[in-house]
Amino acid sequence: MPNKAVKIGLTVVVLAGALAGLLRATLRDGTEYYKHVDEVLVNPVDWQGKNLQLHGYVVRDSILRKRDSLEYRFKVTGKVGDDARVVLAHYTGIVPDTFSDDAEVVLKGRLEPDGFHVSPNGVMAKCPSKYEAKKTAGAPDN
Amino acid sequence: MASLGTFTLLAAFVISAYAAAAAIAGARRASRSLVDSAVGAFYLVAALLTVGTAVIIHAFVTDEYSIKYVQHYSDSVQPFIYKLTSYWGGLDGSIMFWVFLLAVFGSTAVYVNRERHRELMPYVVAIISVVQMFFLFLMVIHKNPFETFLVTAPAEGRGLNPLLQNAYMAIHPPALYIGFVGMTIPYAFGLAALITGHLDDSWLRAVRRWTMVSWLFLSFGLTLGMIWAYEVLGWGGYWGWDPVENAGLLPWLTATAFLHSVMVQERRGMLRVWNVTLVIVTFFLTIFGTFMTRSGVVQSVHAFGEDRQLAWMFTGFMVVILTVSFGYVIYRLPLLRSRHELDSWVSREAAFLANNWILLFAAMFVLFATMFPTISEALTGERLTVGPPFFNKWMLPIGLALLFLTGVGPLLAWRKSTVINLREQFLWATIVGVVTPVALSFAGIPFWPAGLSFALCAFVCVTIIQEFVRGAAVRKQGTGTDYLTAMVGLVARSKRRYGGYTVHLGIVLMFFGFTGEAFKVDEQMLLQPGQQARVGRYAIRNDGVRVTDDGQKQMITGHLTVFHDGKELGKAYPGKWLYRRHEQEPVSRVAIRRSAAEDLYIVMPGFELQDQSVSLQVVINPLVDWIWVGFGIMALGTMIALLPEQVLGFAAAKLPAPSSIGMLLLMLVLMGAPARAQHVVDPAFTPVVPKSALEKDLYKSLICMCGTCGRQLVGECTCGYAADMRAEIGNLVKMGLTRDQVLQYYIKKYGSQEPLAMPVDKGFNRLAWLLPYVLGAGGLLLIGGAAIKWSRHSTATAATAAPAPAAPSTEAADKELEARLDDELRDLD
């Protein structure tokens, strides 16, 4: 039955093509680059205006909150303790409980000339595994 | 006790191996006794794993902290019930729980079918045994939950993560696991049918109910996960397209497809390759989901952490599954030919086919998108992520298309629907489906996507109600009873059909609830005491923050007053709890005001005790409770369909009827389980940041040498000693030492290769590294070899025995025996 085979083949090709095209189109604006602060700092201008997920650490004593508001300004760095190479971040909203000095964070948003603008609910304090109860480093293990 | 546990695992492994080999050998030699011994061994494995489970639970209950796993996931102050659930709180235990369930499920399936499907059963036993062996192997080699501390046992446990100390988290994993594990049974039957070539529909009848039960538990597990996320995690939603959630959804999608396409094969003998494929894919996805969440391939908020070795073991197993299964499908293609062709596209089988394609596509899409960061990193080196919006963009039309087919499919006739038939069936439904969005648009609800979704919900509802009403009317005429009796009689008469409609009704309600998401309001605010803020039609006033302490935890409670349209509704108390010894992990308490129309959902992420101000996240979630109601109705429908169906004679391979009623009761009880809202965010631990690739590599190559952490990697261990070691490694690297030099330094420092995470890959050490794998592979080969040899042996002995039946010695013995018999018989006379 070559006729039937051709029909099925054509249908599959057309459907697969259409879906692949759609997937490509939607992927283009649906994706975000997952980047470490250090990678972005190499050439910040390249990343301006792109959707980013910025991975880094909150610089100690850098978290500022405007009085009586939820407006935050803080710095993120690639390494804990490295206060020189940092990105300034702006955010308005509620931060997770774990958001604190030195916390490992992933920020969703866009890089602009005046700093990183975090989108609403875009602050994620990263946890390698919620299921594994981690202890504070330095505390006696076991 | 720990050694008893390890022993049961080892014994279970060996006996599973025997069961697999003996079953195959028995089948090939047609030896009933060999097969029986395999089945016996199979039951024995279930018994052994029950003992093992008893041991581990005993260890938890008696606080036996010499066992690492117990120490890691339990402590003495934990409530009793959570000591039990700690069993599956971690990776090692969850694998063991998995095998235990598989053994119990497998044994039940084999026992129920012991008098049926004789030709399939040996292979079913063998296949399930091999799957058990894989998981037992994982435990014995890599993740033994009975591992003990070698030097000194700590006096107190670390405690189960408070996040998991929650009623939903106690039942959610078992429900999901039962669903996952249950999918092994259909796979075993399907593959057995492929191997033996008994590809008539009998294997389908044997597995349909098992698939339904597993499907029900999977749905239950997924729903519980949603409720947990909603009530406990406190981010305002219930489904975040997290890899772990997706891992559960994938097999659910393909199992749903199978439950539909199986009907086409039963009725029309079509889609036979397709059904086998779906069964294989479903099973594969359960393993793949486990792989995804256990091996750290995909990053997720609640995956179990990275584990390369485990990843490779799983990869190997999955390759074997796919190769063997699809190898057999291709080999058996001639036997799997359809008995009929598709007559028309306007037929029920075509609708089912479309539904199957969409479901499978949905599964493939979710799989692709979940793996996308990993795929993109592997291909381009650039880690690209896709978020929930991307999933929603695709899954929304897919879901709506499925919803549409839910209404259309059951009303089409088999083979071909005529125009008259179509008009009769769809007239009212179409009218309602068109009027609804028009009416809604006057109410200001846009057509896409909410209006369309509501329209489809209405459309499907009408078709289902119409089916019930028409069926009852016919039956009322036939039996002369009243309407209600006729309706009950109707459902009782064809439970599968009307059970199915009830499931569809539940699905419609769930979609109704999902649609509420389109009208979600999510606002964040900071309120000073006495200050008031509006969210939608609500207003919230901050009355201050109180701190109380009940000895176990410190509780910070926000006191709020809620107004609706200016009228005072009542108080709301979102809170934050700080458990003793867990102060780093504050637990949020969500305040939810439920109603059929919408939930008002308040979380208090931040507070200031000095000025009594609170930061609030206020979410209005319309229609969300209909999702849970929908699941309840769906479960009820599945139960109806599962009741023994004497009329149609599908009673083969059934579960005892009381069990479904029991299950229904159980679920109803569980659904009403108290909503204990807790939220824990991970403790603030100082992250470990390697400064260079070499350091990162070394973190993974060396273990913490404090003597009490076991063999945890330096990079993963959280004790102070490891921190010192990391600092030391940093210094060594800074001094310019190479990798080998650093390793040598540690070998010299501790006088042995003990600090190395894996033996140096050289000479004798290479053997040590390979040994477990060689043993595992050797074991498998041996079993296979033995099975083949035994089965050959029978033909060989038969062949040698046949030509020489009259060996002189035996003949002489026979004569003697005959003479003696004669004598004795004479004496009797």
Side-chain angles (χ1 to χ4, degrees), chain A residues 3-19, chain B residues 345 353 357:
Chain A
N3 194 18
K4 192 187 161 197
V6 167
K7 259 195 221 162
I8 292 179
L10 272 179
T11 318
V12 168
V13 166
V14 169
L15 275 179
L19 288 173
Chain B
W345 279 99
L353 198 61
W357 281 352

mmCIF file with all atom_site columns, all heavy atoms in Angstrom, chain A residues 3-19, chain B residues 345 353 357:
data_model
loop_
_atom_site.group_PDB
_atom_site.id
_atom_site.type_symbol
_atom_site.label_atom_id
_atom_site.label_alt_id
_atom_site.label_comp_id
_atom_site.label_asym_id
_atom_site.label_entity_id
_atom_site.label_seq_id
_atom_site.pdbx_PDB_ins_code
_atom_site.Cartn_x
_atom_site.Cartn_y
_atom_site.Cartn_z
_atom_site.occupancy
_atom_site.B_iso_or_equiv
_atom_site.pdbx_formal_charge
_atom_site.auth_seq_id
_atom_site.auth_comp_id
_atom_site.auth_asym_id
_atom_site.auth_atom_id
_atom_site.pdbx_PDB_model_num
ATOM 1   N N   . ASN A 1 3   ? 0.372   4.013  -1.401 1.00 0.00 ? 3   ASN A N   1
ATOM 2   C CA  . ASN A 1 3   ? -0.469  5.199  -1.278 1.00 0.00 ? 3   ASN A CA  1
ATOM 3   C C   . ASN A 1 3   ? -0.679  5.567  0.182  1.00 0.00 ? 3   ASN A C   1
ATOM 4   O O   . ASN A 1 3   ? -0.526  6.708  0.593  1.00 0.00 ? 3   ASN A O   1
ATOM 5   C CB  . ASN A 1 3   ? -1.800  4.905  -1.968 1.00 0.00 ? 3   ASN A CB  1
ATOM 6   C CG  . ASN A 1 3   ? -2.587  6.184  -2.177 1.00 0.00 ? 3   ASN A CG  1
ATOM 7   O OD1 . ASN A 1 3   ? -1.997  7.265  -2.117 1.00 0.00 ? 3   ASN A OD1 1
ATOM 8   N ND2 . ASN A 1 3   ? -3.868  6.055  -2.415 1.00 0.00 ? 3   ASN A ND2 1
ATOM 9   N N   . LYS A 1 4   ? -1.004  4.545  0.978  1.00 0.00 ? 4   LYS A N   1
ATOM 10  C CA  . LYS A 1 4   ? -1.271  4.780  2.398  1.00 0.00 ? 4   LYS A CA  1
ATOM 11  C C   . LYS A 1 4   ? 0.003   5.226  3.112  1.00 0.00 ? 4   LYS A C   1
ATOM 12  O O   . LYS A 1 4   ? -0.035  6.139  3.932  1.00 0.00 ? 4   LYS A O   1
ATOM 13  C CB  . LYS A 1 4   ? -1.794  3.485  3.011  1.00 0.00 ? 4   LYS A CB  1
ATOM 14  C CG  . LYS A 1 4   ? -2.359  3.703  4.393  1.00 0.00 ? 4   LYS A CG  1
ATOM 15  C CD  . LYS A 1 4   ? -2.698  2.379  5.038  1.00 0.00 ? 4   LYS A CD  1
ATOM 16  C CE  . LYS A 1 4   ? -2.812  2.560  6.539  1.00 0.00 ? 4   LYS A CE  1
ATOM 17  N NZ  . LYS A 1 4   ? -2.745  1.291  7.232  1.00 0.00 ? 4   LYS A NZ  1
ATOM 18  N N   . ALA A 1 5   ? 1.088   4.549  2.745  1.00 0.00 ? 5   ALA A N   1
ATOM 19  C CA  . ALA A 1 5   ? 2.363   4.888  3.387  1.00 0.00 ? 5   ALA A CA  1
ATOM 20  C C   . ALA A 1 5   ? 2.729   6.338  3.105  1.00 0.00 ? 5   ALA A C   1
ATOM 21  O O   . ALA A 1 5   ? 3.163   7.072  4.001  1.00 0.00 ? 5   ALA A O   1
ATOM 22  C CB  . ALA A 1 5   ? 3.456   3.955  2.883  1.00 0.00 ? 5   ALA A CB  1
ATOM 23  N N   . VAL A 1 6   ? 2.506   6.769  1.847  1.00 0.00 ? 6   VAL A N   1
ATOM 24  C CA  . VAL A 1 6   ? 2.824   8.147  1.482  1.00 0.00 ? 6   VAL A CA  1
ATOM 25  C C   . VAL A 1 6   ? 1.979   9.111  2.288  1.00 0.00 ? 6   VAL A C   1
ATOM 26  O O   . VAL A 1 6   ? 2.465   10.105 2.838  1.00 0.00 ? 6   VAL A O   1
ATOM 27  C CB  . VAL A 1 6   ? 2.601   8.348  -0.036 1.00 0.00 ? 6   VAL A CB  1
ATOM 28  C CG1 . VAL A 1 6   ? 2.610   9.838  -0.375 1.00 0.00 ? 6   VAL A CG1 1
ATOM 29  C CG2 . VAL A 1 6   ? 3.670   7.606  -0.824 1.00 0.00 ? 6   VAL A CG2 1
ATOM 30  N N   . LYS A 1 7   ? 0.685   8.788  2.382  1.00 0.00 ? 7   LYS A N   1
ATOM 31  C CA  . LYS A 1 7   ? -0.236  9.653  3.135  1.00 0.00 ? 7   LYS A CA  1
ATOM 32  C C   . LYS A 1 7   ? 0.224   9.812  4.575  1.00 0.00 ? 7   LYS A C   1
ATOM 33  O O   . LYS A 1 7   ? 0.327   10.913 5.099  1.00 0.00 ? 7   LYS A O   1
ATOM 34  C CB  . LYS A 1 7   ? -1.638  9.035  3.123  1.00 0.00 ? 7   LYS A CB  1
ATOM 35  C CG  . LYS A 1 7   ? -2.581  9.667  2.125  1.00 0.00 ? 7   LYS A CG  1
ATOM 36  C CD  . LYS A 1 7   ? -3.996  9.249  2.463  1.00 0.00 ? 7   LYS A CD  1
ATOM 37  C CE  . LYS A 1 7   ? -4.812  8.928  1.232  1.00 0.00 ? 7   LYS A CE  1
ATOM 38  N NZ  . LYS A 1 7   ? -6.003  8.147  1.539  1.00 0.00 ? 7   LYS A NZ  1
ATOM 39  N N   . ILE A 1 8   ? 0.498   8.661  5.204  1.00 0.00 ? 8   ILE A N   1
ATOM 40  C CA  . ILE A 1 8   ? 0.922   8.698  6.611  1.00 0.00 ? 8   ILE A CA  1
ATOM 41  C C   . ILE A 1 8   ? 2.229   9.461  6.740  1.00 0.00 ? 8   ILE A C   1
ATOM 42  O O   . ILE A 1 8   ? 2.385   10.325 7.600  1.00 0.00 ? 8   ILE A O   1
ATOM 43  C CB  . ILE A 1 8   ? 1.063   7.271  7.169  1.00 0.00 ? 8   ILE A CB  1
ATOM 44  C CG1 . ILE A 1 8   ? -0.309  6.628  7.254  1.00 0.00 ? 8   ILE A CG1 1
ATOM 45  C CG2 . ILE A 1 8   ? 1.728   7.291  8.538  1.00 0.00 ? 8   ILE A CG2 1
ATOM 46  C CD1 . ILE A 1 8   ? -0.293  5.213  7.766  1.00 0.00 ? 8   ILE A CD1 1
ATOM 47  N N   . GLY A 1 9   ? 3.143   9.162  5.820  1.00 0.00 ? 9   GLY A N   1
ATOM 48  C CA  . GLY A 1 9   ? 4.447   9.824  5.865  1.00 0.00 ? 9   GLY A CA  1
ATOM 49  C C   . GLY A 1 9   ? 4.312   11.323 5.761  1.00 0.00 ? 9   GLY A C   1
ATOM 50  O O   . GLY A 1 9   ? 4.859   12.077 6.565  1.00 0.00 ? 9   GLY A O   1
ATOM 51  N N   . LEU A 1 10  ? 3.497   11.761 4.789  1.00 0.00 ? 10  LEU A N   1
ATOM 52  C CA  . LEU A 1 10  ? 3.302   13.196 4.599  1.00 0.00 ? 10  LEU A CA  1
ATOM 53  C C   . LEU A 1 10  ? 2.698   13.836 5.829  1.00 0.00 ? 10  LEU A C   1
ATOM 54  O O   . LEU A 1 10  ? 3.139   14.892 6.285  1.00 0.00 ? 10  LEU A O   1
ATOM 55  C CB  . LEU A 1 10  ? 2.402   13.439 3.382  1.00 0.00 ? 10  LEU A CB  1
ATOM 56  C CG  . LEU A 1 10  ? 3.133   13.550 2.045  1.00 0.00 ? 10  LEU A CG  1
ATOM 57  C CD1 . LEU A 1 10  ? 2.137   13.777 0.914  1.00 0.00 ? 10  LEU A CD1 1
ATOM 58  C CD2 . LEU A 1 10  ? 4.144   14.696 2.096  1.00 0.00 ? 10  LEU A CD2 1
ATOM 59  N N   . THR A 1 11  ? 1.666   13.174 6.383  1.00 0.00 ? 11  THR A N   1
ATOM 60  C CA  . THR A 1 11  ? 1.012   13.717 7.577  1.00 0.00 ? 11  THR A CA  1
ATOM 61  C C   . THR A 1 11  ? 2.025   13.904 8.693  1.00 0.00 ? 11  THR A C   1
ATOM 62  O O   . THR A 1 11  ? 2.078   14.958 9.330  1.00 0.00 ? 11  THR A O   1
ATOM 63  C CB  . THR A 1 11  ? -0.089  12.751 8.063  1.00 0.00 ? 11  THR A CB  1
ATOM 64  O OG1 . THR A 1 11  ? -0.795  12.286 6.927  1.00 0.00 ? 11  THR A OG1 1
ATOM 65  C CG2 . THR A 1 11  ? -1.016  13.440 9.027  1.00 0.00 ? 11  THR A CG2 1
ATOM 66  N N   . VAL A 1 12  ? 2.829   12.857 8.905  1.00 0.00 ? 12  VAL A N   1
ATOM 67  C CA  . VAL A 1 12  ? 3.806   12.904 9.986  1.00 0.00 ? 12  VAL A CA  1
ATOM 68  C C   . VAL A 1 12  ? 4.795   14.040 9.746  1.00 0.00 ? 12  VAL A C   1
ATOM 69  O O   . VAL A 1 12  ? 5.089   14.827 10.655 1.00 0.00 ? 12  VAL A O   1
ATOM 70  C CB  . VAL A 1 12  ? 4.554   11.555 10.112 1.00 0.00 ? 12  VAL A CB  1
ATOM 71  C CG1 . VAL A 1 12  ? 5.755   11.700 11.032 1.00 0.00 ? 12  VAL A CG1 1
ATOM 72  C CG2 . VAL A 1 12  ? 3.613   10.492 10.618 1.00 0.00 ? 12  VAL A CG2 1
ATOM 73  N N   . VAL A 1 13  ? 5.282   14.152 8.480  1.00 0.00 ? 13  VAL A N   1
ATOM 74  C CA  . VAL A 1 13  ? 6.270   15.188 8.175  1.00 0.00 ? 13  VAL A CA  1
ATOM 75  C C   . VAL A 1 13  ? 5.686   16.575 8.418  1.00 0.00 ? 13  VAL A C   1
ATOM 76  O O   . VAL A 1 13  ? 6.297   17.431 9.063  1.00 0.00 ? 13  VAL A O   1
ATOM 77  C CB  . VAL A 1 13  ? 6.759   15.048 6.714  1.00 0.00 ? 13  VAL A CB  1
ATOM 78  C CG1 . VAL A 1 13  ? 7.511   16.297 6.288  1.00 0.00 ? 13  VAL A CG1 1
ATOM 79  C CG2 . VAL A 1 13  ? 7.639   13.818 6.580  1.00 0.00 ? 13  VAL A CG2 1
ATOM 80  N N   . VAL A 1 14  ? 4.458   16.784 7.902  1.00 0.00 ? 14  VAL A N   1
ATOM 81  C CA  . VAL A 1 14  ? 3.830   18.102 8.041  1.00 0.00 ? 14  VAL A CA  1
ATOM 82  C C   . VAL A 1 14  ? 3.621   18.429 9.517  1.00 0.00 ? 14  VAL A C   1
ATOM 83  O O   . VAL A 1 14  ? 3.981   19.505 9.994  1.00 0.00 ? 14  VAL A O   1
ATOM 84  C CB  . VAL A 1 14  ? 2.490   18.141 7.284  1.00 0.00 ? 14  VAL A CB  1
ATOM 85  C CG1 . VAL A 1 14  ? 1.706   19.397 7.652  1.00 0.00 ? 14  VAL A CG1 1
ATOM 86  C CG2 . VAL A 1 14  ? 2.756   18.099 5.786  1.00 0.00 ? 14  VAL A CG2 1
ATOM 87  N N   . LEU A 1 15  ? 3.065   17.463 10.267 1.00 0.00 ? 15  LEU A N   1
ATOM 88  C CA  . LEU A 1 15  ? 2.799   17.694 11.684 1.00 0.00 ? 15  LEU A CA  1
ATOM 89  C C   . LEU A 1 15  ? 4.095   17.967 12.445 1.00 0.00 ? 15  LEU A C   1
ATOM 90  O O   . LEU A 1 15  ? 4.188   18.936 13.199 1.00 0.00 ? 15  LEU A O   1
ATOM 91  C CB  . LEU A 1 15  ? 2.106   16.481 12.298 1.00 0.00 ? 15  LEU A CB  1
ATOM 92  C CG  . LEU A 1 15  ? 0.586   16.442 12.138 1.00 0.00 ? 15  LEU A CG  1
ATOM 93  C CD1 . LEU A 1 15  ? 0.029   15.189 12.775 1.00 0.00 ? 15  LEU A CD1 1
ATOM 94  C CD2 . LEU A 1 15  ? -0.037  17.681 12.782 1.00 0.00 ? 15  LEU A CD2 1
ATOM 95  N N   . ALA A 1 16  ? 5.079   17.112 12.195 1.00 0.00 ? 16  ALA A N   1
ATOM 96  C CA  . ALA A 1 16  ? 6.348   17.251 12.920 1.00 0.00 ? 16  ALA A CA  1
ATOM 97  C C   . ALA A 1 16  ? 6.990   18.583 12.583 1.00 0.00 ? 16  ALA A C   1
ATOM 98  O O   . ALA A 1 16  ? 7.487   19.294 13.463 1.00 0.00 ? 16  ALA A O   1
ATOM 99  C CB  . ALA A 1 16  ? 7.288   16.101 12.576 1.00 0.00 ? 16  ALA A CB  1
ATOM 100 N N   . GLY A 1 17  ? 6.939   18.956 11.296 1.00 0.00 ? 17  GLY A N   1
ATOM 101 C CA  . GLY A 1 17  ? 7.526   20.223 10.867 1.00 0.00 ? 17  GLY A CA  1
ATOM 102 C C   . GLY A 1 17  ? 6.848   21.398 11.544 1.00 0.00 ? 17  GLY A C   1
ATOM 103 O O   . GLY A 1 17  ? 7.502   22.285 12.087 1.00 0.00 ? 17  GLY A O   1
ATOM 104 N N   . ALA A 1 18  ? 5.504   21.358 11.536 1.00 0.00 ? 18  ALA A N   1
ATOM 105 C CA  . ALA A 1 18  ? 4.751   22.453 12.133 1.00 0.00 ? 18  ALA A CA  1
ATOM 106 C C   . ALA A 1 18  ? 5.084   22.578 13.615 1.00 0.00 ? 18  ALA A C   1
ATOM 107 O O   . ALA A 1 18  ? 5.327   23.675 14.130 1.00 0.00 ? 18  ALA A O   1
ATOM 108 C CB  . ALA A 1 18  ? 3.260   22.214 11.945 1.00 0.00 ? 18  ALA A CB  1
ATOM 109 N N   . LEU A 1 19  ? 5.111   21.431 14.293 1.00 0.00 ? 19  LEU A N   1
ATOM 110 C CA  . LEU A 1 19  ? 5.378   21.467 15.729 1.00 0.00 ? 19  LEU A CA  1
ATOM 111 C C   . LEU A 1 19  ? 6.791   21.942 16.021 1.00 0.00 ? 19  LEU A C   1
ATOM 112 O O   . LEU A 1 19  ? 7.008   22.739 16.931 1.00 0.00 ? 19  LEU A O   1
ATOM 113 C CB  . LEU A 1 19  ? 5.155   20.083 16.332 1.00 0.00 ? 19  LEU A CB  1
ATOM 114 C CG  . LEU A 1 19  ? 3.684   19.680 16.409 1.00 0.00 ? 19  LEU A CG  1
ATOM 115 C CD1 . LEU A 1 19  ? 3.547   18.240 16.864 1.00 0.00 ? 19  LEU A CD1 1
ATOM 116 C CD2 . LEU A 1 19  ? 2.942   20.597 17.369 1.00 0.00 ? 19  LEU A CD2 1
ATOM 117 N N   . TRP B 2 345 ? -12.696 8.744  9.907  1.00 0.00 ? 345 TRP B N   1
ATOM 118 C CA  . TRP B 2 345 ? -12.114 9.638  10.913 1.00 0.00 ? 345 TRP B CA  1
ATOM 119 C C   . TRP B 2 345 ? -13.176 10.140 11.886 1.00 0.00 ? 345 TRP B C   1
ATOM 120 O O   . TRP B 2 345 ? -12.862 10.682 12.919 1.00 0.00 ? 345 TRP B O   1
ATOM 121 C CB  . TRP B 2 345 ? -11.381 10.806 10.249 1.00 0.00 ? 345 TRP B CB  1
ATOM 122 C CG  . TRP B 2 345 ? -10.019 10.365 9.817  1.00 0.00 ? 345 TRP B CG  1
ATOM 123 C CD1 . TRP B 2 345 ? -9.635  9.988  8.568  1.00 0.00 ? 345 TRP B CD1 1
ATOM 124 C CD2 . TRP B 2 345 ? -8.886  10.183 10.657 1.00 0.00 ? 345 TRP B CD2 1
ATOM 125 N NE1 . TRP B 2 345 ? -8.325  9.584  8.576  1.00 0.00 ? 345 TRP B NE1 1
ATOM 126 C CE2 . TRP B 2 345 ? -7.833  9.703  9.838  1.00 0.00 ? 345 TRP B CE2 1
ATOM 127 C CE3 . TRP B 2 345 ? -8.639  10.381 12.011 1.00 0.00 ? 345 TRP B CE3 1
ATOM 128 C CZ2 . TRP B 2 345 ? -6.570  9.413  10.338 1.00 0.00 ? 345 TRP B CZ2 1
ATOM 129 C CZ3 . TRP B 2 345 ? -7.380  10.099 12.508 1.00 0.00 ? 345 TRP B CZ3 1
ATOM 130 C CH2 . TRP B 2 345 ? -6.357  9.625  11.673 1.00 0.00 ? 345 TRP B CH2 1
ATOM 131 N N   . LEU B 2 353 ? -7.573  7.712  18.997 1.00 0.00 ? 353 LEU B N   1
ATOM 132 C CA  . LEU B 2 353 ? -6.236  7.814  18.414 1.00 0.00 ? 353 LEU B CA  1
ATOM 133 C C   . LEU B 2 353 ? -5.718  9.242  18.556 1.00 0.00 ? 353 LEU B C   1
ATOM 134 O O   . LEU B 2 353 ? -4.576  9.467  18.967 1.00 0.00 ? 353 LEU B O   1
ATOM 135 C CB  . LEU B 2 353 ? -6.301  7.406  16.942 1.00 0.00 ? 353 LEU B CB  1
ATOM 136 C CG  . LEU B 2 353 ? -4.980  7.047  16.295 1.00 0.00 ? 353 LEU B CG  1
ATOM 137 C CD1 . LEU B 2 353 ? -4.355  5.861  17.000 1.00 0.00 ? 353 LEU B CD1 1
ATOM 138 C CD2 . LEU B 2 353 ? -5.186  6.725  14.820 1.00 0.00 ? 353 LEU B CD2 1
ATOM 139 N N   . TRP B 2 357 ? -2.441  10.529 20.551 1.00 0.00 ? 357 TRP B N   1
ATOM 140 C CA  . TRP B 2 357 ? -1.345  11.312 19.982 1.00 0.00 ? 357 TRP B CA  1
ATOM 141 C C   . TRP B 2 357 ? -1.092  12.551 20.814 1.00 0.00 ? 357 TRP B C   1
ATOM 142 O O   . TRP B 2 357 ? 0.047   12.897 21.103 1.00 0.00 ? 357 TRP B O   1
ATOM 143 C CB  . TRP B 2 357 ? -1.684  11.719 18.542 1.00 0.00 ? 357 TRP B CB  1
ATOM 144 C CG  . TRP B 2 357 ? -1.466  10.624 17.557 1.00 0.00 ? 357 TRP B CG  1
ATOM 145 C CD1 . TRP B 2 357 ? -0.878  9.413  17.805 1.00 0.00 ? 357 TRP B CD1 1
ATOM 146 C CD2 . TRP B 2 357 ? -1.828  10.624 16.181 1.00 0.00 ? 357 TRP B CD2 1
ATOM 147 N NE1 . TRP B 2 357 ? -0.859  8.660  16.672 1.00 0.00 ? 357 TRP B NE1 1
ATOM 148 C CE2 . TRP B 2 357 ? -1.439  9.378  15.648 1.00 0.00 ? 357 TRP B CE2 1
ATOM 149 C CE3 . TRP B 2 357 ? -2.439  11.543 15.342 1.00 0.00 ? 357 TRP B CE3 1
ATOM 150 C CZ2 . TRP B 2 357 ? -1.638  9.044  14.311 1.00 0.00 ? 357 TRP B CZ2 1
ATOM 151 C CZ3 . TRP B 2 357 ? -2.634  11.212 14.016 1.00 0.00 ? 357 TRP B CZ3 1
ATOM 152 C CH2 . TRP B 2 357 ? -2.237  9.968  13.512 1.00 0.00 ? 357 TRP B CH2 1
#
